[in-house]
Amino acid sequence: MALEIGLRRAVDGLRDVRLLLVAMDFDGTMAPFVDRPADARALPASAEAFAELGAAENTVTALLSGRDLASLRAAAQPGPQVLLVGSHGGERWAPEALAGTWDQSIELDDAQTVLLTKVGAVLDEIVATHPGTTVEHKPAGVVLHVRQAEPTVGTSALRAARRRLEDLKGLTLGDGKNVLECSVIRANKGAGLEWLREVVDADAVIFAGDDVTDEDAFAVLRPGDLGVKIGPGRTRAGFRVDGIGDVPDLLQLVLGVR
């Protein structure tokens, strides 16, 4: 489907912005969802346009993901000047030219480490009795994936996990597409996007994402910024495209005005 005229006009309005930050979610936005997160790769046309944007004058690119940075680097294979925010804002990296080699990794205290182990054990028990579900371990969290399970099994697993974990002090639970994110730190993509804006001193920001967790980033967009929701669902974004297949056209449209 062709991009709507309102979106095209909004992008054209960014033509004369002094410095534009183009920040993208990865899974479900740049890359299709796959059964194994490690197998995810960006659509070739999206990856190519994103790389060209990173080389455009007065334009900076970034990836803002729920993945930890190691997983994001392995799947996205970003160029050396692409800023990275992982673990929903908990991990941040910027190249030396922009931030003096900013590298914020996650360090847990003893209580957080104990809690993370406990949560992992609970989710392992749930996965053992719900075929098709899997657990993904991150530096500061554990994720229950139910994409490969039968719908009724997946729903049961998510409910069981939330019931057993929701009262644990110090644990943050977040719903995503066929996942339950369990984190022992407080971080969100809104804070991650604000950090990106500050690091590059951006005059305007484009952010595109598909998931519930991306709403925190849409919520911090300012007048003159542009938010694009990928696919269906309620959103704070000002614009929407039908799905991941429209992302290459979106990136090419931005490239055309930069």
Side-chain angles (χ1 to χ4, degrees):
M1 169 180 151
L3 302 181
E4 63 171 291
I5 187 65
L7 176 56
R8 290 181 173 275
R9 287 173 176 165
V11 171
D12 191 63
L14 299 171
R15 185 180 301 274
D16 297 323
V17 167
R18 180 190 65 86
L19 194 144
L20 178 66
L21 169 66
V22 180
M24 305 291 289
D25 174 45
F26 185 70
D27 296 282
T29 299
M30 294 289 289
F33 286 110
V34 293
D35 290 341
R36 294 181 65 252
D39 294 336
R41 294 294 183 271
L43 292 177
S46 292
E48 181 178 353
F50 190 67
E52 290 183 35
L53 269 170
E57 186 175 1
N58 299 325
T59 305
V60 178
T61 53
L63 292 173
L64 179 54
S65 175
R67 288 176 179 259
D68 63 85
L69 285 189
S71 172
L72 181 59
R73 286 189 174 103
Q77 301 174 12
Q81 297 304 309
V82 178
L83 282 79
L84 304 175
V85 174
S87 298
H88 298 287
E91 295 179 284
R92 304 169 184 181
W93 180 87
E96 182 175 3
L98 290 172
T101 314
W102 180 288
D103 190 350
Q104 176 181 311
S105 57
I106 293 174
E107 295 183 5
L108 303 182
D109 60 28
D110 291 343
Q112 290 171 323
T113 300
V114 170
L115 178 58
L116 186 61
T117 300
K118 181 176 182 178
V119 173
V122 169
L123 293 186
D124 284 341
E125 291 176 8
I126 291 172
V127 164
T129 57
H130 292 79
T133 63
T134 58
V135 172
E136 177 189 2
H137 294 272
K138 297 182 178 182
V142 192
V143 186
L144 174 63
H145 291 266
V146 302
R147 185 176 305 280
Q148 300 178 65
E150 293 293 329
T152 55
V153 174
T155 299
S156 174
L158 292 172
R159 287 176 177 171
R162 183 169 281 279
R163 184 173 61 252
R164 293 183 61 180
L165 297 173
E166 61 186 357
D167 292 329
L168 290 181
K169 185 178 180 180
L171 184 67
T172 300
L173 300 180
D175 296 307
K177 289 185 176 179
N178 298 302
V179 301
L180 179 66
E181 297 263 0
C182 311
S183 177
V184 299
I185 64 171
R186 292 190 177 276
N188 65 68
K189 290 186 176 181
L193 187 59
E194 291 283 66
W195 174 79
L196 288 169
R197 184 197 300 272
E198 180 180 351
V199 166
V200 304
D201 191 23
D203 294 279
V205 173
I206 295 177
F207 176 68
D210 72 297
D211 210 342
V212 176
T213 57
D214 295 312
E215 293 302 313
D216 290 323
F218 291 135
V220 301
L221 294 177
R222 306 173 186 176
D225 293 339
L226 181 59
V228 183
K229 169 77 169 180
I230 311 301
R234 296 179 62 183
T235 186
R236 294 183 174 97
F239 297 93
R240 183 192 306 272
V241 297
D242 283 351
I244 190 172
D246 294 314
V247 173
D249 288 342
L250 172 63
L251 292 173
Q252 284 290 345
L253 185 63
V254 178
L255 184 61
V257 303
R258 299 304 294 177

